[in-house]
Amino acid sequence: MPTLSVFVDVPLAQKLEGRLLKTYKQDNCPQKMFLAYRACMTNEGQLWVSPVVHKIRLQIVQDPSLNHEYMPVMGMKSFIQASLELLFGKHSRVISENRVGGVHTIGDSGAFRLAAQFLKTWRGASQIVYIISSQNELHGLVFQDMGFTVCEYSFWDSRQLCMSPNMLLDVVEQAPHGCIFVIGNIDNFKMTQHQWVKLMATMKSKQIFPFFDIPYQGLSTGDLEEDTKFLQYFVSGGFEFFCNQSLSNNFGIYDEGVAILVVVAFNNQLLLCALSQLMNFALALWLNPPTMGARIITTILCNPALQEAWKQNLKEVVENIMLIKEKVKEKLRLLGTPGSWNHITDQKGTHGYLGLDSQQVDYLVKKKHIYIPKNGRINFTCINACNIDYVTESINEAVLLTKDSEK
């Protein structure tokens, strides 16, 4: 006699991402292209992996003395130390004062899940999370799942076609007292000293807890220190904060999901208390972190020659991205495409907004088989010598036709 399934009332969940990629894969058009990959791509259209990583991965695999013992709950100590020095600088004040630490997590979502659990337990009075970034993140889902009220904003100004510092300042102004404030890709802002002072003063007066998301250190400007320079403002300003330090993209080990939840406290005693609680939560969530990605990164960061080679790899990628953006802008200018396209080269990093409206994006997807998100934010490393003419000519066509339809 059949028994009633305990899953009988469980509906299929709505897919949160992947629709665009699925549609792209089902498209039979030979000219189709996908410009929304999260990972960095090469000129040949392959996933970019730092050449140094290939070398170290082989060495590790062939090492007969490799110990496959479980890692401590916190993770590999040398990996955490090397990562913190990468983020803040080896001689940073916060490191010398021994008031920064980290927990090795399973990817970005792991860092946010661990942080959300900690904040829910030990900052229970504040149930509101503000998230502001240049793109739609999945971090809000993690906080929502933990019962937080989440308010999400983008600091891309579609009218002015720029990353607007004023939008960030306005959101902080309206944020409630004591809330948690997640900021992603803040290095894209061109903040004046006065704006930094105002931002920190407002956050301090409202006792807002900052939580920084750093997914692409080194892939924004090509300078590792420049990309995280803003952290020094908050260290000097006397803030405590969390930080998600993702290390998958800048090493090109996307399948490893390597990240650290970084904790900055007022002093070492407070730091140790916070880390002890985080380790208890990590124990319940995943027990021990994976090691392969951590081993690769630690080997590179702890060897000056390898680290220098890796830094050079990052610079080459960024230089190529800048060149691609310049070519896209110049080709649009030569085609006589209406509007200014300076915003393309004004944006830093692998991803950026094309500045197209929803009608123009829809035209590119449906008529030209160029798959980009609705907000027009693409991965510029997906554009190369083989497809740049088709991309720019299609953009020009989309803008001209939609302009004509408005008349």
Side-chain angles (χ1 to χ4, degrees):
M1 188 175 177
T3 342
L4 187 65
S5 171
V6 295
F7 308 116
V8 70
D9 295 322
V10 180
L12 278 172
Q14 183 180 0
K15 288 188 178 180
L16 297 168
E17 63 173 349
R19 288 181 187 170
L20 194 68
L21 183 58
K22 184 179 180 181
T23 309
Y24 162 76
K25 288 181 177 179
Q26 292 173 343
D27 190 342
N28 294 320
C29 176
Q31 285 185 301
K32 69 175 184 178
M33 60 187 67
F34 192 76
L35 304 185
Y37 288 113
R38 290 175 58 199
C40 189
M41 310 297 286
T42 66
N43 288 327
E44 294 73 37
Q46 302 298 316
L47 281 176
W48 174 83
V49 179
S50 172
V52 186
V53 168
H54 283 303
K55 178 182 176 182
I56 300 306
R57 191 189 293 271
L58 287 172
Q59 285 182 8
I60 291 173
V61 170
Q62 295 169 1
D63 184 357
S65 65
L66 187 65
N67 184 346
H68 290 279
E69 184 59 71
Y70 287 116
M71 279 288 108
V73 178
M74 184 182 283
M76 192 186 300
K77 188 176 180 181
S78 57
F79 165 61
I80 294 170
Q81 185 63 29
S83 300
L84 292 175
E85 290 177 3
L86 180 71
L87 191 64
F88 292 97
K90 191 171 184 178
H91 304 292
S92 169
R93 168 183 166 187
V94 74
I95 290 178
S96 63
E97 293 174 356
N98 202 19
R99 57 187 183 91
V100 61
V103 179
H104 177 190
T105 68
I106 303 177
D108 297 358
S109 293
F112 279 95
R113 179 64 177 79
L114 188 61
Q117 181 71 64
F118 179 92
L119 294 168
K120 186 74 176 178
T121 305
W122 298 106
R123 197 178 166 89
S126 176
Q127 298 296 299
I128 300 175
V129 176
Y130 272 58
I131 299 176
I132 184 163
S133 183
S134 62
Q135 60 186 340
N136 293 326
E137 302 284 5
L138 296 176
H139 311 323
L141 297 175
V142 177
F143 284 104
Q144 285 174 9
D145 188 53
M146 290 297 297
F148 288 92
T149 299
V150 178
C151 305
E152 297 185 70
Y153 300 86
S154 170
F155 50 62
W156 171 253
D157 188 332
S158 58
R159 290 186 178 183
Q160 301 295 323
L161 298 178
C162 67
M163 301 291 181
S164 172
N166 290 326
M167 293 181 76
L168 173 60
L169 294 169
D170 289 344
V171 173
V172 174
E173 286 284 355
Q174 71 184 54
H177 186 276
C179 75
I180 298 148
F181 208 95
V182 181
I183 309 176
N185 304 108
I186 195 172
D187 53 293
N188 245 312
F189 285 120
K190 294 179 179 178
M191 302 264 283
T192 64
Q193 188 66 33
H194 174 73
Q195 287 171 324
W196 278 115
V197 171
K198 184 180 179 181
L199 173 67
M200 292 190 293
T202 305
M203 294 182 83
K204 186 163 281 191
S205 66
K206 289 188 168 189
Q207 295 184 347
I208 291 173
F209 183 75
F211 192 156
F212 301 106
D213 183 25
I214 304 178
Y216 301 108
Q217 185 183 1
L219 286 173
S220 184
T221 65
D223 185 327
L224 290 157
E225 292 182 8
E226 184 64 28
D227 285 359
T228 56
K229 190 177 179 180
F230 68 90
L231 287 176
Q232 304 304 328
Y233 292 127
F234 286 87
V235 168
S236 301
F239 280 86
E240 291 183 308
F241 57 84
F242 278 167
C243 178
N244 167 51
Q245 182 188 16
S246 176
L247 295 160
S248 296
N249 290 288
N250 50 4
F251 283 87
I253 47 177
Y254 315 101
D255 58 339
E256 297 294 342
V258 188
I260 290 180
L261 175 61
V262 178
V263 184
V264 172
F266 289 143
N267 57 52
N268 179 253
Q269 185 177 356
L270 293 169
L271 172 68
L272 293 176
C273 289
L275 290 175
S276 69
Q277 294 295 337
L278 285 167
M279 281 191 286
N280 278 345
F281 293 134
L283 193 65
L285 286 170
W286 52 70
L287 187 60
N288 306 98
T291 60
M292 187 60 175
R295 283 191 172 115
I296 293 170
I297 293 168
T298 305
T299 304
I300 294 171
L301 294 182
C302 292
N303 182 306
L306 292 175
Q307 184 176 154
E308 194 56 42
W310 170 67
K311 287 179 180 179
Q312 186 58 39
N313 295 159
L314 290 178
K315 287 179 182 178
E316 289 167 2
V317 171
V318 172
E319 286 170 1
N320 188 52
I321 294 167
M322 293 168 65
L323 185 60
I324 290 167
K325 291 178 179 179
E326 286 289 352
K327 286 182 177 180
V328 169
K329 184 174 76 170
E330 180 62 12
K331 283 182 179 291
L332 290 173
R333 186 189 69 80
L334 292 173
L335 287 166
T337 311
S340 169
W341 298 93
N342 290 330
H343 59 276
I344 289 177
T345 50
D346 286 343
Q347 297 171 76
K348 299 176 184 177
T350 55
H351 293 66
Y353 289 89
L354 285 174
L356 302 178
D357 60 34
S358 58
Q359 190 179 359
Q360 291 160 350
V361 169
D362 197 49
Y363 181 88
L364 289 177
V365 174
K366 292 180 178 178
K367 300 294 184 182
K368 308 304 293 185
H369 304 271
I370 298 175
Y371 290 85
I372 66 176
K374 290 180 180 179
N375 61 9
R377 189 171 187 267
I378 70 165
N379 182 345
F380 276 94
T381 66
C382 294
I383 299 177
N384 52 51
C386 296
N387 62 25
I388 190 169
D389 287 335
Y390 182 71
V391 170
T392 51
E393 286 165 8
S394 298
I395 292 171
N396 178 61
E397 191 176 310
V399 173
L400 289 175
L401 287 176
T402 53
K403 291 286 183 186
D404 289 342
S405 66
E406 292 172 2
K407 294 179 182 178

